[in-house]
Amino acid sequence: MKNRLPVENAGDADVCLFIEPYGEDFWMRPADAFQVVPMSDANVQFSVVIATGLITVWLYEDGDPYNAILDYEVVDANGERLTCGHQRPADS
């Protein structure tokens, strides 16, 4: 099984899950649970930065910040693949 990064919004407000280096956004409503799944079979490590209302994730091969993993998908709790802008608020 591939490395996966589970991410859950346990708060009471929407949170943006932001995946770099492409800057793709996936919005999580309260109680949403997503997974970031690299498409690579490499040894993938995740870098996560959290700010109010924002979770930024980088995927790296072998933890090397100069070797970013570019192919990934974000799936919901049912395993459904999400697209960039998922649940994006109209005012963002």
Side-chain angles (χ1 to χ4, degrees):
M1 178 183 257
K2 296 179 189 253
N3 275 346
R4 295 170 176 259
L5 176 67
V7 182
E8 183 176 349
N9 181 357
D12 58 2
D14 289 355
V15 173
C16 178
L17 174 61
F18 197 71
I19 312 294
E20 291 287 12
Y22 296 128
E24 293 186 317
D25 62 321
F26 304 84
W27 289 80
M28 304 179 72
R29 295 187 176 132
D32 276 350
F34 297 167
Q35 290 188 36
V36 181
V37 183
M39 303 314 292
S40 170
D41 289 328
N43 177 25
V44 178
Q45 294 178 333
F46 301 92
S47 174
V48 179
V49 178
I50 299 172
T52 303
L54 177 66
I55 302 169
T56 302
V57 175
W58 285 84
L59 295 82
Y60 297 117
E61 186 172 339
D62 295 322
D64 180 352
Y66 295 103
N67 198 4
I69 302 285
L70 304 178
D71 294 324
Y72 64 87
E73 62 184 13
V74 175
V75 298
D76 66 12
N78 297 318
E80 297 292 321
R81 186 172 188 262
L82 306 177
T83 59
C84 179
H86 177 76
Q87 300 181 146
R88 183 185 296 140
D91 62 350
S92 66

